[in-house]
Amino acid sequence: MTLKYNEQAPPVPGGSAGITTREESHRTASTATSDSGKQSLPALEVQDVHASFRERRNKLSVLNGLSLTVEQGEFVAIVGPSGCGKSTLFHIIGGLLKPQTGLVLMNGQNVTGQRGKISYMPQQPALFPWRTIEDNVLLAGEVSAHTPPKAEALAEARKWLSSVGLGGFEQAYPHMLSGGMQQRVAFLRALLSPQELMLLDEPFSALDALTRSDMQRWLLDIWEQNRRSVLFITHNIEEALLLADRIYVLSNRPATVLHEVRVPFDRPRREEITEEKAFLERKRQISEWMKEEQKKARLTP
């Protein structure tokens, strides 16, 4: 049985509705079916990736046969204990590191170890302080192999800056903006990159609670307009459930996929769903898994 990403999976014996096993995840997520009935290749497939580092004379295993997919136009979140290897996974997907074994495929093509295939938004805005806001947004196109004409890129950047409440700040510099405004600029830079797949690495973790909530609503609105394929790392379970179509729950290091949670809530998402029973039940279940992993970590020598 093949499930589209916006459908709720059947209950797993001994589990909860909307949760699938690792084997079912690998089997059902390998292809997606479009409205025309044709199969489309996933935007991203990570297949059985193992990664380790040398620490003095010892080998530190970080990823242990990790597999996941992101379908075309899908928003997928990853949650897991601190230090479990989420950032290492992003480095492998982005081509900065090569795994010991395993593959990274994008649109069916093997891109393992290749750079320049993704757009990336880090935890901090990482804006160049000597460039204006407009020029920071244009940077993604400038470093791309397929640079659009400057006039076209400039018009697109100004349109987006205006649409996200940054009109009038085009010639400002990063230090003149608040943290939330800087994150909007960083997101627009990633959004306007020509690469289809976006990797977002805890982009709101440094923001205060109110600004973070505003940014979540803003991101939902922008993503609904654009529907880029997104892989999103977060430690915030509520944030993952609010934003994502599916959530991968990772184990302690060496990380593997413990559970896949299919989020059944309709889009466009309303902030009020965070108070609904089904939302709270999934949040509680994921929280229990995370606590169990943290307990295991404390008992591991």
Side-chain angles (χ1 to χ4, degrees):
M1 175 177 65
T2 301
L3 296 175
K4 293 182 181 178
Y5 69 83
N6 60 347
E7 295 175 338
Q8 182 175 350
V12 175
S16 303
I19 299 167
T20 61
T21 65
R22 179 183 172 189
E23 290 76 13
E24 287 171 325
S25 166
H26 185 71
R27 205 167 48 236
T28 62
S30 58
T31 56
T33 305
S34 67
D35 293 336
S36 63
K38 296 180 180 179
Q39 287 187 327
S40 59
L41 294 167
L44 171 70
E45 293 178 88
V46 176
Q47 296 183 354
D48 196 28
V49 163
H50 291 75
S52 61
F53 300 104
R54 282 289 175 185
E55 192 176 65
R56 295 189 176 92
R57 297 183 179 180
N58 299 319
K59 186 173 79 169
L60 180 66
S61 185
V62 180
L63 302 176
N64 181 28
L66 192 146
S67 297
L68 58 78
T69 62
V70 179
E71 302 295 348
Q72 301 289 343
E74 188 180 23
F75 197 123
V76 175
I78 296 175
V79 297
S82 295
C84 73
K86 297 185 293 294
S87 293
T88 298
L89 173 63
F90 266 26
H91 291 160
I92 289 172
I93 295 170
L96 299 176
L97 295 173
K98 288 193 72 173
Q100 274 69 51
T101 61
L103 297 174
V104 176
L105 289 85
M106 295 182 189
N107 301 307
Q109 300 296 313
N110 184 358
V111 297
T112 310
Q114 297 181 29
R115 302 184 185 186
K117 302 296 184 180
I118 55 99
S119 61
Y120 176 69
M121 182 177 175
Q123 295 180 27
Q124 301 296 330
L127 304 176
F128 288 130
W130 61 88
R131 294 182 68 125
T132 65
I133 298 309
E134 186 176 84
D135 287 340
N136 267 286
V137 171
L138 290 170
L139 182 62
E142 291 175 8
V143 300
S144 168
H146 306 287
T147 305
K150 185 167 183 179
E152 178 184 323
L154 188 60
E156 183 76 359
R158 288 175 175 172
K159 181 189 77 173
W160 276 103
L161 284 167
S162 177
S163 72
V164 301
L166 291 173
F169 290 92
E170 293 88 351
Q171 300 306 312
Y173 288 88
H175 73 273
M176 301 167 68
L177 273 59
S178 68
M181 293 169 76
Q182 290 184 29
Q183 286 297 83
R184 292 187 187 196
V185 176
F187 182 81
L188 285 184
R189 181 176 59 192
L191 184 70
L192 295 179
S193 169
Q195 289 80 12
E196 161 62 21
L197 179 66
M198 298 180 68
L199 304 188
L200 309 183
D201 189 357
E202 297 189 73
F204 308 143
S205 61
L207 302 177
D208 63 81
L210 285 176
T211 305
R212 184 171 190 152
S213 179
D214 286 341
M215 288 298 296
Q216 289 168 354
R217 289 195 296 271
W218 175 82
L219 177 56
L220 278 173
D221 289 342
I222 294 297
W223 184 82
E224 287 289 348
Q225 297 174 41
N226 197 270
R227 290 292 177 124
R228 293 279 288 278
S229 305
V230 173
L231 188 58
F232 182 95
I233 288 178
T234 179
H235 281 100
N236 189 305
I237 298 169
E238 182 172 298
E239 182 172 75
L241 285 165
L242 180 63
L243 297 176
D245 297 303
R246 288 187 295 122
I247 302 170
Y248 285 103
V249 182
L250 303 189
S251 69
N252 278 307
R253 189 178 66 237
T256 190
V257 174
L258 287 179
H259 304 280
E260 178 194 351
V261 178
R262 295 177 181 268
V263 182
F265 310 114
D266 292 337
R267 292 190 185 276
R269 296 270 166 85
R270 300 171 293 104
E271 193 174 10
E272 291 77 14
I273 67 168
T274 60
E275 301 172 3
E276 294 179 2
K277 182 179 178 181
F279 188 98
L280 294 173
E281 285 178 350
R282 284 168 173 77
K283 181 179 176 181
R284 176 190 56 77
Q285 177 65 83
I286 297 173
S287 179
E288 287 180 1
W289 289 332
M290 297 285 285
K291 288 176 182 177
E292 185 63 29
E293 286 303 299
Q294 290 171 343
K295 186 186 299 182
K296 290 178 185 176
R298 288 194 296 268
L299 295 175
T300 302

